[in-house]
Amino acid sequence: MNILDNWRKRHGGGQSTPLASAAGSDPEGVAELLSECALLRVRAGQDGLQLDDSPASLEALDQLPPRWRDDPEELPWLGNDAGLYLGTVIVRTVPGAAWHIWPGGHPVVRLVSGREIRVVEAGLDWAVTGAPELSQVYAEAAEA
């Protein structure tokens, strides 16, 4: 059972409940789902870092040694979680920022200006290459 199945189960939806539809009817539930980032939270915890959904935690993540790059199977999952965590921090701390789910279930963060940040792609790039830093993407969103 994956994270989406768990969310559907908790929110009474069947297998056919699309995430995009749920975003409109239950934005808090979708935000909860997207903020879980279990793998990232576990790996950060192993390095003594407690992720508290703050901009400072993004800076701390940027400083972690990238041990996940040694595991090609884990790398994309951790990058995905990093992107969702980045989005979570933006949504919780940047006024007016909100999750937006594209058709097909692709989550992005939409700022008040209408600009959309592809946080999952940013997280994957960060996990693979270290750039852009998560804190840098956050700073750009906070300034927009």
Side-chain angles (χ1 to χ4, degrees):
M1 182 175 289
N2 66 32
I3 193 169
L4 184 55
D5 292 334
N6 288 334
W7 182 83
R8 286 180 179 136
K9 186 177 175 183
R10 285 194 310 263
H11 292 86
Q15 288 295 326
S16 63
T17 304
L19 187 57
S21 294
S25 64
D26 185 13
E28 289 179 18
V30 170
E32 175 188 337
L33 167 72
L34 297 176
S35 72
E36 288 183 9
C37 314
L39 178 61
L40 180 69
R41 291 179 190 277
V42 167
R43 294 294 176 256
Q46 290 171 340
D47 281 324
L49 175 58
Q50 178 71 30
L51 298 180
D52 61 1
D53 302 346
S54 71
S57 67
L58 294 172
E59 293 176 13
L61 277 171
D62 288 336
Q63 301 306 311
L64 289 180
R67 292 185 186 97
W68 55 84
R69 291 186 192 144
D70 296 334
D71 185 346
E73 290 184 23
E74 184 173 282
L75 181 63
W77 295 103
L78 189 115
N80 187 72
D81 272 11
L84 294 176
Y85 184 72
L86 169 63
T88 296
V89 174
I90 293 170
V91 167
R92 292 187 176 167
T93 62
V94 174
W99 286 107
H100 177 73
I101 310 299
W102 288 354
H106 184 80
V108 297
V109 172
R110 185 175 288 165
L111 302 175
V112 167
S113 66
R115 178 176 164 223
E116 290 184 347
I117 301 173
R118 296 178 177 202
V119 291
V120 172
E121 286 85 350
L124 289 168
D125 289 345
W126 172 83
V128 172
T129 67
E133 290 186 335
L134 299 174
S135 58
Q136 176 186 352
V137 176
Y138 173 83
E140 291 170 6
E143 291 175 5

